[in-house]
């Protein structure tokens, strides 16, 4: 078994998950960070992180971290940590191709005694059923005899400067008891908040996938309550504040559920459940509710416009915010695009304004060309979709000034009091 002082880590994937972890390990031990995007490698070598998760000063502190786009540069590593994305396809099925590709690359590099640790969110059993056979096939070695595996699910919260990777308790696991102990000790080297060693890789996989499934179902409940209260002409926020006076009422709020975690992870669990013959009715019902909120917001805005004799066709509508959450540039699985698409079905003219995003990425991912500035008196409707700090700083008066006379202001994010806007969830 390896000793901690002999560890050299190969970090596969330098995105929102891989880079912060690579930086922390790189402060204490040799790390080679691999990303298939050469532009990403170039920016990191230049001391800049476009995801804004790691400051230039922190990058500089990781004195033992190097970057490469060439997998062969990881050949002398003995610990491989895989942090690639695990998205879903257009049919809401798990897309394991990034994970499979990373496993093929690592398999070609494996030496006897190496350990491969996966952090990507998967369904229970995926590591041993999908990844391990690929590692065996590519390396020609036998699992748990020649090489070993671990699973330590990521808990990164993009844009959150308080809950950083080192401050979030880490679940760990290994393919043998000895490997589990080693993986746990390895993460303890950098995770200040401590670790929780799960009894098996499957337990750790299941723990991760239900974390976001639980949040998804809870938000779906609140979204459904908002739909009901709207029909009853009851202020949803007032109801939630009143109910929140009870000590054990959970403080969820209605909204769009996107991002690479909450809006994706439940489909990994439901896929596996259906594979073994169980239909996960509650989880899928919650997903349908949350996936329908963008269309619901659009319908409410169009109704408000109709009441003011503003036809939706050719109406100028501004959507403020495109990222999946506030104060970060992350566009992955943002559900704001559902509002954009639905408005276009009404033949509305839609502008998207978001000071946090990379315009080229928005165009590449969603075919959206965001505007760089907004002018007073230009819009029939303004939809506050993301609560970026810049929008909070603008304040109600400046945002309302963007509207034409009689225009509609719809507040998805509860930025302003109900009586100061024309509609909200």
């Amino acid at each position: 078994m390896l000793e901690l002082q002999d560890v050299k880590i190969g970090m596969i994937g330098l995105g929102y998950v891989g880079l912060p972890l690579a930086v922390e390990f790189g402060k204490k031990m040799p790390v080679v960070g691999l990303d298939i995007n050469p532009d990403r490698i170039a920016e990191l070598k230049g001391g800049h992180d476009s995801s804004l998760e790691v400051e230039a000063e922190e990058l500089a502190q990781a004195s033992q971290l190097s970057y490469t786009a060439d997998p062969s540069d990881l050949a002398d590593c003995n610990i491989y940590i895989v942090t690639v994305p695990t998205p879903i396809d257009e049919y809401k099925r798990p897309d394991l191709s990034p994970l499979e590709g990373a496993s093929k690359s690592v398999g070609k590099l494996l030496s006897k005694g190496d350990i491969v640790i996966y952090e990507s969110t998967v369904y229970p059993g995926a590591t041993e059923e999908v990844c391990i056979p690929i590692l065996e096939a590519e390396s020609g070695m036998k699992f748990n005899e020649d090489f070993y595996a671990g699973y330590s699910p990521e808990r990164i919260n993009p844009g959150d400067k308080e809950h950083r990777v080192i401050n979030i308790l880490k679940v760990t696991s290994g393919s043998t008891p000895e490997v589990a102990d080693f993986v746990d000790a390895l993460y303890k080297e950098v995770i200040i908040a401590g670790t929780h060693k799960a009894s098996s890789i499957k337990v750790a996989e299941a723990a991760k996938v239900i974390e976001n499934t639980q949040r998804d179902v809870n938000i779906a409940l609140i979204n459904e309550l908002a739909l009901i209260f709207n029909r009853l002409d009851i202020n949803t926020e007032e109801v939630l504040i009143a109910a929140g006076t009870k000590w054990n009422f959970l403080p969820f709020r209605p909204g769009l559920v996107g991002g690479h975690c909450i809006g994706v992870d439940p489909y990994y669990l439901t896929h596996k459940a259906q594979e073994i013959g169980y239909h996960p009715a509650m989880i899928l019902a919650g997903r349908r509710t949350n996936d329908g909120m963008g269309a619901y917001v659009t319908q409410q805005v169009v109704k408000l416009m109709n009441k003011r004799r503003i036809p939706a066709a050719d109406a100028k509508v501004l959507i403020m915010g495109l990222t999946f959450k506030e104060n970060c540039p992350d566009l992955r699985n943002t559900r704001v695009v559902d509002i954009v698409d639905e408005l276009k079905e009404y033949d509305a003219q839609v502008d998207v304004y978001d000071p946090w995003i990379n315009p080229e990425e928005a165009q590449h991912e969603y075919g959206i060309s965001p505007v760089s500035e907004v002018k007073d008196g230009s819009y029939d409707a303004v939809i506050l979709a993301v609560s970026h700090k810049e929008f909070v700083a603008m304040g109600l008066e400046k945002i309302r000034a963007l509207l034409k006379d009689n225009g509609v202001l719809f507040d998805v994010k509860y930025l302003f009091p109900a009586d100061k806007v024309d509609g909200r969830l």
Side-chain angles (χ1 to χ4, degrees):
M1 182 60 63
L2 278 170
E3 298 292 335
L4 286 175
Q5 63 265 27
D6 299 324
V7 162
K8 183 174 184 179
I9 295 173
M11 188 71 64
I12 293 85
L14 294 173
Y16 286 89
V17 175
L19 180 64
L21 188 62
V23 167
E24 294 305 325
F25 275 123
K27 296 174 182 177
K28 296 195 171 187
M29 60 190 72
V31 180
V32 183
L34 171 70
D35 199 284
I36 60 173
N37 182 353
D39 292 336
R40 176 66 165 163
I41 295 301
E43 73 171 50
L44 291 173
K45 285 183 175 179
H48 173 65
D49 169 27
S50 60
S51 74
L52 306 182
E53 289 300 299
V54 181
E55 302 291 341
E57 182 181 351
E58 291 179 283
L59 289 175
Q61 290 171 354
S63 59
Q64 299 186 68
L65 170 61
S66 61
Y67 308 101
T68 184
D70 184 355
S72 65
D73 290 337
L74 279 66
D76 60 345
C77 294
N78 44 33
I79 301 291
Y80 295 92
I81 302 179
V82 179
T83 67
V84 297
T86 43
I88 52 175
D89 65 18
E90 58 181 314
Y91 303 109
K92 312 292 189 185
R93 299 175 305 195
D95 177 7
L96 294 175
S97 56
L99 198 62
E100 292 167 344
S103 296
K104 287 180 182 178
S105 296
V106 171
K108 292 180 172 68
L109 302 170
L110 282 180
S111 299
K112 192 173 180 63
D114 289 355
I115 301 173
V116 185
I117 304 168
Y118 290 91
E119 291 219 355
S120 307
T121 301
V122 292
Y123 53 77
T127 299
E128 290 154 300
E129 295 166 12
V130 177
C131 302
I132 298 304
I134 294 173
L135 294 175
E136 287 187 319
E138 295 295 332
S139 67
M141 294 193 292
K142 191 168 179 59
F143 177 52
N144 276 345
E145 290 184 15
D146 302 313
F147 73 92
Y148 306 89
Y151 184 79
S152 182
E154 60 90 3
R155 282 176 166 170
I156 294 294
N157 188 24
D160 189 337
K161 299 305 180 184
E162 180 180 353
H163 299 97
R164 309 296 301 276
V165 61
I166 60 173
N167 300 322
I168 303 171
L169 194 141
K170 200 89 164 69
V171 174
T172 66
S173 64
S175 56
T176 70
E178 295 76 20
V179 171
D181 288 342
F182 179 84
V183 171
D184 194 65
L186 176 65
Y187 279 99
K188 279 180 176 174
E189 289 288 301
V190 295
I191 305 298
I192 296 172
T195 61
H196 173 88
K197 185 171 62 177
S199 61
S200 69
I201 286 175
K202 280 187 178 180
V203 168
E205 290 169 326
K208 169 56 182 176
V209 81
I210 71 165
E211 289 174 13
N212 288 318
T213 300
Q214 182 188 62
R215 284 183 55 79
D216 191 46
V217 170
N218 275 298
I219 297 170
L221 171 62
I222 301 301
N223 276 336
E224 189 164 84
L225 292 175
L227 304 183
I228 295 169
F229 295 147
N230 178 265
R231 285 174 167 80
L232 294 173
D233 196 26
I234 299 173
N235 185 309
T236 300
E237 184 183 33
E238 290 182 2
V239 174
L240 295 175
I241 290 172
T245 59
K246 189 180 181 188
W247 73 91
N248 59 354
F249 186 82
L250 301 176
F252 288 96
R253 289 293 183 269
L256 305 174
V257 183
H260 195 64
C261 292
I262 301 179
V264 173
D265 295 356
Y267 288 119
Y268 274 75
L269 183 57
T270 58
H271 167 82
K272 189 62 178 180
Q274 290 169 324
E275 194 177 72
I276 60 174
Y278 179 79
H279 180 70
M282 177 182 289
I283 298 171
L284 287 173
R287 280 279 74 236
R288 286 193 296 272
T289 297
N290 287 341
D291 279 347
M293 293 308 290
Y296 175 76
V297 167
T298 303
Q299 292 162 11
Q300 294 305 301
V301 171
V302 170
K303 284 180 182 179
L304 289 167
M305 291 167 61
N306 285 341
K307 288 180 180 179
R308 299 185 181 188
R309 302 299 186 265
I310 305 171
D314 295 322
K316 286 204 67 176
V317 180
L318 174 66
I319 297 178
M320 299 183 69
L322 182 61
T323 60
F324 90 89
K325 63 177 292 189
E326 66 278 0
N327 304 327
C328 81
D330 195 346
L331 290 174
R332 293 175 299 172
N333 194 40
T334 174
R335 300 283 32 106
V336 179
V337 297
D338 297 341
I339 303 176
V340 176
D341 293 342
E342 195 75 12
L343 283 168
K344 288 180 178 178
E345 290 292 315
Y346 286 95
D347 292 325
Q349 299 176 37
V350 183
D351 282 351
V352 175
Y353 175 61
D354 192 321
W356 281 84
I357 62 174
N358 181 319
E360 289 77 18
E361 184 182 358
Q363 178 61 44
H364 178 266
E365 294 296 326
Y366 301 110
I368 293 173
S369 298
V371 297
S372 57
E373 60 179 3
V374 288
K375 296 181 180 179
D376 289 355
S378 299
Y379 298 100
D380 296 295
V382 170
I383 301 174
L384 282 164
V386 186
S387 54
H388 289 315
K389 61 185 180 182
E390 289 84 353
F391 301 158
V392 176
M394 283 178 70
L396 181 65
E397 186 176 336
K398 287 186 178 180
I399 292 174
R400 273 210 172 275
L402 300 172
L403 290 165
K404 299 176 183 177
D405 292 341
N406 210 33
V408 170
L409 176 58
F410 194 92
D411 185 1
V412 175
K413 297 298 292 184
Y414 287 55
L415 279 182
F416 304 112
D419 60 350
K420 301 297 183 183
V421 297
D422 303 305
R424 60 179 183 172
L425 288 177

